[in-house]
Amino acid sequence: MAEKQINGVGLLQQYWCIVFCIYLQFNSIAVAILDPVDFLALQSIRKGLDDLPGSNYFASWDFTSDPCNFAGVYCDSDKVIALNLGDPRAGAPGLTGRLDPSIGKLSALAELSIVPGRIYGALPQSISQIKSLRFLAVSRNFLSGQIPASLSQLRNLRTLDLSYNIFTGAIPASIGTLPELTNVILGHNRLSGPVPPFTSKSLTRLDLKHNDLSGTLAPNSLPPSLQYLSLSWNRLSGPVYGLLNRLDQLNYLDLSMNQFTGTVPGRVFTFPITNLQLQRNLLFGPVQPSDQVSIPTIDLSYNRFSGEISPLFSTVQNLYLNNNRFTGQVPGPFVDRLLAANIQILYLQHNFLTGIQIKPTAEIPLSSSLCLQYNCMVPPVETPCPLKSGKQKTRPTAQCNEWRG
């Protein structure tokens, strides 16, 4: 069907293609003539898409002129090598319509991107025919259906960004075998099933957040080259200790809003991470960094962590340890750094802490937030807490006694 669609473009379109070629030759214009296959493919792509109101992207797509001068079309000799569909300026309305399967005829295409808009329908299977494709980014549209497993034929693909669409079904396991992948961004879809293993040794970014993924992650399922990992807002489960222990190049880690279990390796807190999000899981056990922690923001809230709070966390600027099972005294270095305005957020509410060495007259800097309520102590200082912390200042004595016992 797709082949028929591509070859039956219409006599008028073929006529203009021939006229254009004769025009260039007759006038001895020193430019390469675009390959007729690419010319006809661009015409079919144009027929399937339109500017949204306020967009003027297709104004330059006049097929009586050189298509290599069209907005978003980049050529090398007689072939299209890059196609950036839509006005790239921030806030531009984008395009609407469907992607025509003839896009697979652009055999030299290395880059395909589409600006945010209202393009709908399936991602054409024919894209898998473009063996030279290295960059595929079609985020923030309304593409639906399953991600074609045939994308695994794109052995040169480095970036795959299908985020903020309506894709459903599983992530094809074969995509994880692509050897050159560096960026995989599939967040904000409706994908389900497990996270497939990724074997590319150059993979640095994996973003699968806000889907419906489930299952467990094997310790060797992701490469140690990863620098950015976001799996938040899914239904993933099982232990993460072995996996995290290998990913020592991470500078961003977000596993929040899942059902992960088990302990967290202490060496994670020595990785070059700027933002560590593990909140709202089922993680448990003591949290013991192996060295002073320099990560600016750490959120371990709403888990089942226990034991005493390590003083090595006192150098964290924004620390969320609330809604866990921590016990004992709050270490002195936290108080010192809090009063010196070196800590911006210290949330310790809803634990089993028994004390903190701070004077009731101490003035918490305006730039700092401290919350101590609902622990096994009367908070020595009055500080504003988040509304969802509730109104109870201390935990019932019976709960504290039961926990100590």
Side-chain angles (χ1 to χ4, degrees), residues 172-186:
S174 55
I175 288 179
T177 66
L178 289 172
E180 302 296 328
L181 277 180
T182 58
N183 301 286
V184 177
I185 309 168
L186 305 177

Side-chain angles (χ1 to χ4, degrees), residues 225-282:
S225 55
L226 272 179
Q227 297 176 19
Y228 182 106
L229 176 61
S230 181
L231 302 175
S232 64
W233 290 88
N234 281 287
R235 294 188 296 115
L236 297 165
S237 58
V240 292
Y241 187 98
L243 176 71
L244 293 182
N245 214 27
R246 297 176 63 249
L247 304 180
D248 58 0
Q249 301 300 309
L250 285 174
N251 56 47
Y252 182 91
L253 175 62
D254 188 353
L255 304 183
S256 64
M257 307 298 292
N258 280 286
Q259 300 163 25
F260 289 120
T261 58
T263 57
V264 174
R267 66 189 300 258
V268 164
F269 301 102
T270 65
F271 293 170
I273 297 174
T274 57
N275 199 315
L276 174 58
Q277 307 282 330
L278 299 179
Q279 69 270 24
R280 295 186 183 273
N281 279 285
L282 303 173

Side-chain angles (χ1 to χ4, degrees), residues 11-12 20 46 58 78 137 182 206 209 226 264 276 281 305 314 404:
L11 292 174
L12 184 61
F20 174 61
R46 172 64 186 93
F58 280 124
D78 64 339
T182 58
L206 180 62
K209 64 177 175 281
L226 272 179
V264 174
L276 174 58
N281 279 285
F305 291 119
S314 63
R404 291 194 193 100

Side-chain angles (χ1 to χ4, degrees), residues 135-351:
F135 184 90
L136 175 58
V138 293
S139 66
R140 297 180 185 274
N141 277 275
F142 288 83
L143 294 167
S144 58
Q146 298 196 344
I147 297 174
S150 57
L151 291 182
S152 62
Q153 298 172 27
L154 303 175
R155 308 304 287 177
N156 293 307
L157 193 65
R158 296 177 184 175
T159 292
L160 176 63
D161 184 356
L162 307 179
S163 60
Y164 292 91
N165 280 288
I166 322 173
F167 287 109
T168 54
I171 301 172
S174 55
I175 288 179
T177 66
L178 289 172
E180 302 296 328
L181 277 180
T182 58
N183 301 286
V184 177
I185 309 168
L186 305 177
H188 290 270
N189 279 286
R190 299 174 185 175
L191 299 169
S192 56
V195 176
F198 285 86
T199 58
S200 170
K201 295 180 180 178
S202 57
L203 187 65
T204 58
R205 183 183 183 97
L206 180 62
D207 187 345
L208 306 178
K209 64 177 175 281
H210 283 265
N211 278 290
D212 194 31
L213 300 169
S214 58
T216 61
L217 296 170
N220 59 351
S221 61
L222 301 178
S225 55
L226 272 179
Q227 297 176 19
Y228 182 106
L229 176 61
S230 181
L231 302 175
S232 64
W233 290 88
N234 281 287
R235 294 188 296 115
L236 297 165
S237 58
V240 292
Y241 187 98
L243 176 71
L244 293 182
N245 214 27
R246 297 176 63 249
L247 304 180
D248 58 0
Q249 301 300 309
L250 285 174
N251 56 47
Y252 182 91
L253 175 62
D254 188 353
L255 304 183
S256 64
M257 307 298 292
N258 280 286
Q259 300 163 25
F260 289 120
T261 58
T263 57
V264 174
R267 66 189 300 258
V268 164
F269 301 102
T270 65
F271 293 170
I273 297 174
T274 57
N275 199 315
L276 174 58
Q277 307 282 330
L278 299 179
Q279 69 270 24
R280 295 186 183 273
N281 279 285
L282 303 173
L283 300 167
F284 58 79
V287 186
Q288 298 173 331
S290 56
D291 203 348
Q292 197 72 48
V293 182
S294 59
I295 301 172
T297 297
I298 295 179
D299 193 341
L300 305 181
S301 64
Y302 293 92
N303 278 287
R304 299 174 181 178
F305 291 119
S306 58
E308 296 192 351
I309 296 174
S310 170
L312 296 175
F313 281 120
S314 63
T315 42
V316 178
Q317 295 174 20
N318 303 289
L319 182 62
Y320 303 83
L321 300 180
N322 54 288
N323 296 81
N324 278 288
R325 299 173 181 178
F326 289 112
T327 56
Q329 294 265 332
V330 179
F334 282 98
V335 177
D336 298 337
R337 292 185 59 80
L338 185 72
L339 297 179
N342 293 321
I343 295 178
Q344 295 175 7
I345 294 175
L346 181 59
Y347 281 178
L348 303 175
Q349 68 270 23
H350 286 256
N351 280 287

